[in-house]
Amino acid sequence: MLTLITFLPILGMIVVLLLPKDKTRVIQTTAVIVTGLQVLLAILIWMTFDTTKAGINEIATMQFVERIPWIVIPETPWFGAIRIDYFMGIDGLSMPMVLLTALITFLATFASFSVKKSLKGYFAMFLLLDAGMMGVFCSLDLFLFYVFWEVMLLPMYFLIGIWGGPRREYAAIKFFLYTLAGSVLLLLVMIGLYFSTVDPGTGLHTFNMIAMMDPANVTQGIFATVGSTARMLAFIGLFIGFAIKVPIFPFHTWLPDAHVEAPTAISVILAGVLLKMGTYGLLRISFPIFPEMTLYFQIPMMVLGFVNIVYGALCAMAQTDFKKLIAYSSVSHMGYVLLGMAALNVQGMTGAVFQMFNHGTITAMLFLLVGVLYDRAHTRGLNEFGGVYNKMPVYSFLTVIAFFAAIGLPSMSGFVSEAFVFLGAFQVSKLWTILSTLGIVLGAGYMLWTFQRVFMGTLPEKWEPVLTDVNGRELFTLIPLAVIILALGLYPSPALNWMSTSLGHLVDLVNGSAGQVMISAF
């Protein structure tokens, strides 16, 4: 099942490449069918998912597991024997991300219909990116994880660099260099972990992430000594590598440029899915493999969460470009995720992962709404509008839902996740939690100010013949997100049940006796 949902877009990419480039409608339909089937598979996974199984560091409770030998090299004088498995599986941490990836990619396919240039190449890159993202969330082998991590780098570079705005090349190169720097750090730690971990079944070094989470298997190499400087540097290296993707201050500067220059659909994927891969990597790899370092850096991570929340909100408040404002609001909202993760308790961790899912749907909706306005007016300047409500009432109503969800208004999904984040963080550090609540006030400030500038007042005459309300295709992409935001805000229990068992187990793993003993080594 996981192989099918991951590689289905690759099959779609091959079909698209075989089609004549002038068959625009067929290419678009192929992409819709492929991503639509992916949604159906994700729903099937969700419906058959067992919420009582923890996963995290137990193969027996991982679900939809697929494991076969992938790269097998017999004994050699220089390296010894090598065995790398194609190892996939999901738990309560990854299942919401699989569902989110399938949904956002499907909706972004429709938003891609406005792309006119080199459509065949665009959708080929789009589907390759889809496969890379899905593979990251399904991999349980670090080598396989890294392959998928890198696979998505190239299509994103081209999607921004070829189909982006006027400064697309600058934005694409900046994104590529930042992400590549993070990948190098990830690669170095990955090699160190390989030579430090022995698979108890084969007696060989392994990239098996679950084996790496058991200290009994990490007995050789530079990471074998608990609390060592090498493990601290490895944790920091991994943190920076994933922090670039989140992005966490001060590694965030690539994000506004990438968002502003990327086509609408790619901005949707960037905010909806790609940013989650950084926090997912921290939870899947850094926290369980280096639990003592996670405890050691708990408060610094909370401080960084606070900085992201307030700094991102202040930057958003200063923007006059609609898309850039949403980009900086993403920096702020991903700070909530980091704050909840750093709490290292069930409430905070649940709030963090739920916030990852909610931010994916809310921000995707916001970028789609910005795209609707840009398609008509060809500008995103906030000060150029006014009175849009008079001309686009349905669009304005949908924007109100997205804005209020981003603010974290009760009855919206964002409220539930942020409340859990603060509940968890408050138990660890009252100071940084109270300071972080400034983000709520600032968020309400820049969102309401934006609504006032764009939607209230009198519509400038130049927009009278240009602005038309949302059409059927746009409604098709916006309505599902609005329904999810409201549904999870009013009744979040089913979604929280997806993740609670796994996240409780992850919290126990990090805070458990092993972690407590390890931290005494400092």
Side-chain angles (χ1 to χ4, degrees), residues 164-204:
R167 296 175 70 242
R168 56 185 178 273
E169 291 173 7
Y170 167 77
I173 290 172
K174 195 172 182 181
F175 163 79
F176 191 90
L177 290 178
Y178 265 78
T179 310
L180 188 64
S183 298
V184 170
L185 292 172
L186 178 58
L187 179 64
L188 291 172
V189 177
M190 188 178 86
I191 292 170
L193 281 169
Y194 173 77
F195 285 110
S196 301
T197 310
V198 175
D199 188 321
T202 63
L204 301 174

Side-chain angles (χ1 to χ4, degrees), residues 423-503:
L423 278 173
F426 194 75
Q427 299 173 50
V428 179
S429 172
K430 294 179 176 57
L431 172 65
W432 296 113
T433 306
I434 292 169
L435 290 176
S436 296
T437 56
L438 281 172
I440 298 175
V441 180
L442 294 172
Y446 67 75
M447 282 297 182
L448 294 177
W449 189 28
T450 301
F451 191 81
Q452 180 214 328
R453 282 184 285 178
V454 176
F455 295 92
M456 301 175 80
T458 306
L459 183 73
E461 285 186 15
K462 64 178 179 179
W463 301 131
E464 277 287 349
V466 175
L467 297 185
T468 55
D469 216 338
V470 283
N471 58 37
R473 176 176 61 81
E474 291 158 347
L475 276 176
F476 182 77
T477 60
L478 291 167
I479 294 293
L481 294 170
V483 169
I484 290 171
I485 289 167
L486 291 170
L488 292 182
L490 294 170
Y491 187 52
S493 295
L496 295 174
N497 287 337
W498 300 341
M499 56 193 80
S500 58
T501 306
S502 293
L503 296 181

Side-chain angles (χ1 to χ4, degrees), residues 322 325-326 329 333 362-363 365-367 369-370 373 382 395-409 412 414 418 443-455 485:
F322 207 159
L325 181 145
I326 305 301
S329 80
H333 283 100
I362 294 168
T363 313
M365 188 172 176
L366 285 168
F367 276 115
L369 288 163
V370 174
L373 200 59
L382 293 171
Y395 174 81
S396 304
F397 175 71
L398 291 169
T399 307
V400 167
I401 293 176
F403 274 23
F404 282 175
I407 291 171
L409 200 74
M412 304 286 183
E418 288 179 17
Y446 67 75
M447 282 297 182
L448 294 177
W449 189 28
T450 301
F451 191 81
Q452 180 214 328
R453 282 184 285 178
V454 176
F455 295 92
I485 289 167

Side-chain angles (χ1 to χ4, degrees), residues 69-401:
W70 175 27
I71 301 173
V72 180
I73 300 176
E75 187 75 24
T76 61
W78 289 93
F79 297 100
I82 295 176
R83 171 175 164 153
I84 301 173
D85 289 341
Y86 173 83
F87 187 17
M88 303 185 93
I90 59 171
D91 55 13
L93 172 59
S94 42
M95 196 278 284
M97 298 300 108
V98 169
L99 198 58
L100 179 70
T101 304
L103 175 68
I104 297 299
T105 308
F106 177 61
L107 297 177
T109 306
F110 290 91
S112 300
F113 283 9
S114 58
V115 174
K116 304 298 179 191
K117 183 174 73 173
S118 306
L119 201 65
K120 180 175 170 176
Y122 173 86
F123 274 110
M125 290 291 113
F126 182 89
L127 292 169
L128 180 60
L129 176 67
D130 183 10
M133 294 187 299
M134 192 63 81
V136 165
F137 293 127
C138 295
S139 299
L140 293 179
D141 184 278
L142 195 50
F143 190 88
L144 188 62
F145 177 93
Y146 188 78
V147 169
F148 283 121
W149 185 271
E150 292 301 292
V151 160
M152 66 187 179
L153 177 59
L154 207 59
M156 183 54 85
Y157 168 77
F158 285 117
L159 286 166
I160 298 174
I162 296 176
W163 288 276
R167 296 175 70 242
R168 56 185 178 273
E169 291 173 7
Y170 167 77
I173 290 172
K174 195 172 182 181
F175 163 79
F176 191 90
L177 290 178
Y178 265 78
T179 310
L180 188 64
S183 298
V184 170
L185 292 172
L186 178 58
L187 179 64
L188 291 172
V189 177
M190 188 178 86
I191 292 170
L193 281 169
Y194 173 77
F195 285 110
S196 301
T197 310
V198 175
D199 188 321
T202 63
L204 301 174
H205 292 299
T206 182
F207 286 107
N208 183 331
M209 283 195 271
I210 293 178
M212 290 173 177
M213 295 175 197
D214 186 351
N217 299 326
V218 187
T219 56
Q220 304 176 11
I222 58 174
F223 298 145
T225 305
V226 172
S228 64
T229 304
R231 285 179 66 88
M232 180 180 286
L233 292 174
F235 182 85
I236 294 171
L238 277 181
F239 186 85
I240 294 173
F242 292 132
I244 289 171
K245 193 74 86 181
V246 175
I248 295 171
F249 179 89
F251 308 107
H252 65 286
T253 60
W254 63 270
L255 182 72
D257 291 314
H259 269 306
V260 168
E261 300 305 324
T264 297
I266 303 309
S267 287
V268 168
I269 287 183
L270 198 58
V273 182
L274 237 72
L275 305 189
K276 315 301 173 296
M277 299 174 73
T279 46
Y280 176 81
L282 288 170
L283 292 172
R284 172 64 67 197
I285 298 173
S286 301
F287 281 24
I289 294 179
F290 299 98
E292 84 279 23
M293 296 301 164
T294 305
L295 289 169
Y296 188 73
F297 287 105
Q298 182 178 22
I299 297 301
M301 285 192 289
M302 293 191 80
V303 176
L304 282 174
F306 156 74
V307 172
N308 252 50
I309 291 169
V310 175
Y311 173 80
L314 288 172
C315 288
M317 193 170 280
Q319 301 308 314
T320 55
D321 183 304
F322 207 159
K323 218 173 181 185
K324 216 166 190 174
L325 181 145
I326 305 301
Y328 274 111
S329 80
S330 287
V331 174
S332 179
H333 283 100
M334 290 307 289
Y336 292 113
V337 177
L338 184 61
L339 186 72
M341 288 164 54
L344 297 178
N345 52 37
V346 176
Q347 296 94 331
M349 202 77 87
T350 302
V353 177
F354 197 33
Q355 174 73 358
M356 286 164 63
F357 186 89
N358 291 336
H359 178 261
T361 53
I362 294 168
T363 313
M365 188 172 176
L366 285 168
F367 276 115
L368 286 170
L369 288 163
V370 174
V372 168
L373 200 59
Y374 183 77
D375 284 346
R376 287 154 176 74
H378 302 293
T379 178
R380 296 184 299 265
L382 293 171
N383 296 329
E384 296 185 46
F385 293 100
V388 169
Y389 175 80
N390 301 315
K391 192 74 177 174
M392 303 173 70
V394 177
Y395 174 81
S396 304
F397 175 71
L398 291 169
T399 307
V400 167
I401 293 176

Side-chain angles (χ1 to χ4, degrees), residues 48-67:
T48 54
F49 186 80
D50 187 346
T51 56
T52 63
K53 293 184 176 179
I56 303 294
N57 66 334
E58 297 174 354
I59 294 179
T61 53
M62 279 287 176
Q63 300 181 55
F64 304 98
V65 173
E66 297 167 8
R67 187 179 187 182

Side-chain angles (χ1 to χ4, degrees), residues 5 132 393:
I5 199 171

